[in-house]
Amino acid sequence: MQQRIEDYALIGDEQTAALVGRDGSVDWLCLPRFDSGACFAALLGDEDNGHWRIAPKDAGACTRRAYRPDTLVLDTEWDTDEGSVRVTDLMPQREHAPDLVRVIEGLSGRVTMRSLLRLRFDYGSIVPWMRRADGHRVAVAGPDSVWLRSEPPVHTWGKDFCTYSEFTVEEGEKVAFVLTWHPSHQPRPPLCNPFEALRTSVEDWQAWAARCRYDGPHRDIVMRSLITLKALTYAPTGGIVAAPTTSLPEELGGVRNWDYRYCWLRDSTLTLGALVEAGYLEEAEAWRDWLLRAVAGDPADLQIMYGLAGERRLSEYELPWLPGYAGSCPVRVGNDAVQQLQLDVYGEVIDSLTLARRSGLPSKPHMWRVQVALMEFLRTAWRQPDEGIWEVRGPRRHFVYSKVMAWVAADRAVRALEDDPKLEGDLEGWRAMRDEVHREVCERGYDAERNTFTQSYGSSELDASLLLIPHVGFLPPDDPRVLGTIAAVREDLGHNGFLRRYSVEQTRISVEEQTRVSIEQTGTDSTTISAEQTGVGTEQSALDGLPGGEGTFLVCSFWLAEALHLTGRTEEAREMFERLVLLANDVGLLSEEYDPVACRQVGNFPQAFSHIGLVGTALALFGGEQAG
């Protein structure tokens, strides 16, 4: 039976990551980068698509597991009739090539262990050629080469295109396996000492964790979230991937399966703020620098996401040989949402650079020029409809959150000029834009009858991103329109105590607004518009252009908790936070969404946005308190 998403734990080396199940099987690993082809892809299929299991012979799920305190080093233990044993998994910080280290230690008795390694390159599609060399088992196929060795050597044999090892460990006895990837045209990289790597990895992670400024309630889960964000950082560039996985479904058996192994601009301000407040200024600076490099170029070409080093071409295609997690297909690589227009990212970039400057991060000489260029483009572009923060694949609309973030861009630019008159910029023009955006949002994006802002102009639907209106300063928390929006969003999008990001059912938008959007997009006169031309029906259309549903969106639920806190309902906010942290799995990890009916995590895992939400909300709710 396929393991649940929450049955996995994460290990990684800040350039790629692996998922390890409760049964001791590594079911997902892309080498050498987060976005490389997987050599273990059982997560999205079955064991024939590649995995590596080490466990007591004939054993099932482990008895217990945990990370070593304040590290990304995972201990998995089994109690058997023969005795007890521990498998410790880690990926040490790489010096030359990526290593996956697995240390087996006898705790009591004499336990028979079995290792089953099934390598399948290119997402489970290529069976490599295996040979022996220099005491290693070597797998080669095209550009990929993987070397496997044990220390001390144990009995190993090949069968059915797999590599097996069987051995026993007694109390205090240790055996280590090291799996190393390198380009097949290059010589074998230097050997990793697995026992030394384990010692230094624990020390390095604990030293990093000791820099954390947060010492309030729930420190363990906050620290786990920060370690997860560090693990999802691509160290060579500072970019942070949304998740290390692709195509884990938002609905079990559904088609909402996306590749999240890229870096999203929408996360930038919240990520930067969490890192700065928690005391991780080096990581914040690296993320800021990645952001500056990624967005360089024509402001009209700003993308919503980029590759690990700022790559722009992330073409989407399907892997038909993989059946998908729990039969959820298609399995996708790449992400076509990269081509979408999302106006909110302009606000998020400018807000991030403003936050970086105010946080005292070392300035870059071109930072302000980047912001000026973005503002000059946004001066007219903000009037366009777009796909919105959630990357809907339906027709473009005037999403309220996109307009609010255009206001944020203008507001931060104006404030920068007011704070530093030496900066060059169109102060009066940007002020006028800020006022115009604010006025239009309050007129066209607000439903006075229901006392709530709406998802888009002319729509009756709501959106969880509206909860960020007081967070970004568009309106004060005590404004009646803010209070009404929070209540309405909670009522309309609440599900078993948590929050969906929007309704995936049919959504209503007025004919008048449909006509307005169509004219803006096509220039067609309103008297000749048809439903086919507008891309939506005269009464309803599917917002995101996709069938099926999805779970409650965890970061949105964290936003609700923070919004309640901002409006003075702190005890209620803390109660919600308590419920949310209970959704984390046994090692403190969260996926993108939670299915409150099936009581399961869904979506890509672990999800940076969820952990950013956890850290940010904890800092808002408890940042002034000390642990204990």
Side-chain angles (χ1 to χ4, degrees), residues 355-618:
L355 175 60
R357 182 174 60 253
R358 292 180 175 174
S359 300
L361 298 183
S363 183
K364 294 286 186 180
H366 57 292
M367 271 178 57
W368 180 246
R369 293 200 301 274
V370 169
Q371 293 174 79
V372 170
L374 294 176
M375 277 303 305
E376 287 307 301
F377 171 79
L378 197 58
R379 188 197 292 264
T380 56
W382 74 267
R383 295 184 175 88
Q384 301 178 44
D386 69 345
E387 276 89 2
I389 183 176
W390 305 125
E391 300 153 23
V392 300
R393 299 200 175 193
R396 287 183 178 180
R397 295 185 178 170
H398 288 289
F399 286 98
V400 169
Y401 179 74
S402 296
K403 308 302 185 186
V404 168
M405 291 310 296
W407 176 90
V408 167
D411 178 71
R412 305 311 189 253
V414 166
R415 291 189 185 193
L417 290 177
E418 291 173 342
D419 293 343
D420 187 354
K422 292 183 293 184
L423 294 175
E424 295 183 0
D426 184 2
L427 178 59
E428 292 308 315
W430 294 347
R431 276 179 179 158
M433 172 190 159
R434 180 179 65 176
D435 293 344
E436 183 181 359
V437 176
H438 199 281
R439 183 169 54 253
E440 181 179 291
V441 168
C442 291
E443 291 175 357
R444 295 177 62 188
Y446 175 70
D447 184 339
E449 184 175 337
R450 298 167 64 199
N451 188 30
T452 181
F453 287 95
T454 59
Q455 183 180 61
S456 62
Y457 293 172
S459 169
S460 63
E461 298 298 319
L462 302 183
D463 192 304
S465 62
L466 300 170
L467 296 170
L468 294 174
I469 285 176
H471 177 87
V472 301
F474 183 84
L475 287 173
D478 60 354
D479 188 288
R481 292 166 293 184
V482 169
L483 298 175
T485 299
I486 293 172
V489 166
R490 195 175 191 184
E491 174 68 23
D492 276 24
L493 301 182
H495 186 28
N496 286 24
F498 305 108
L499 210 64
R500 296 173 294 168
R501 51 181 173 171
Y502 57 81
S503 173
V504 297
E505 289 82 24
Q506 297 294 90
T507 182
R508 293 185 178 276
I509 180 170
S510 70
V511 176
E512 177 184 357
E513 191 60 37
Q514 293 175 45
T515 301
R516 190 197 303 262
V517 171
S518 184
I519 292 173
E520 290 164 343
Q521 289 188 257
T522 68
T524 308
D525 184 81
S526 61
T527 60
T528 62
I529 277 186
S530 68
E532 182 179 357
Q533 286 173 305
T534 62
V536 292
T538 55
E539 293 184 357
Q540 304 183 332
S541 73
L543 169 70
D544 56 17
L546 296 165
E550 61 181 30
T552 56
F553 214 75
L554 293 178
V555 74
C556 298
S557 300
F558 282 114
W559 291 347
L560 175 57
E562 186 170 352
L564 291 171
H565 168 65
L566 288 174
T567 55
R569 299 159 69 178
T570 299
E571 285 307 311
E572 192 176 351
R574 291 183 174 184
E575 290 174 4
M576 183 162 196
F577 182 85
E578 299 275 357
R579 293 198 307 273
L580 284 165
V581 297
L582 289 176
L583 301 183
N585 72 356
D586 59 315
V587 291
L589 301 180
L590 290 167
S591 64
E592 179 184 33
E593 302 177 15
Y594 180 73
D595 182 339
V597 176
C599 298
R600 291 182 60 173
Q601 294 196 27
V602 289
N604 282 301
F605 173 90
Q607 175 78 359
F609 218 9
S610 298
H611 286 283
I612 292 165
L614 188 153
V615 173
T617 305

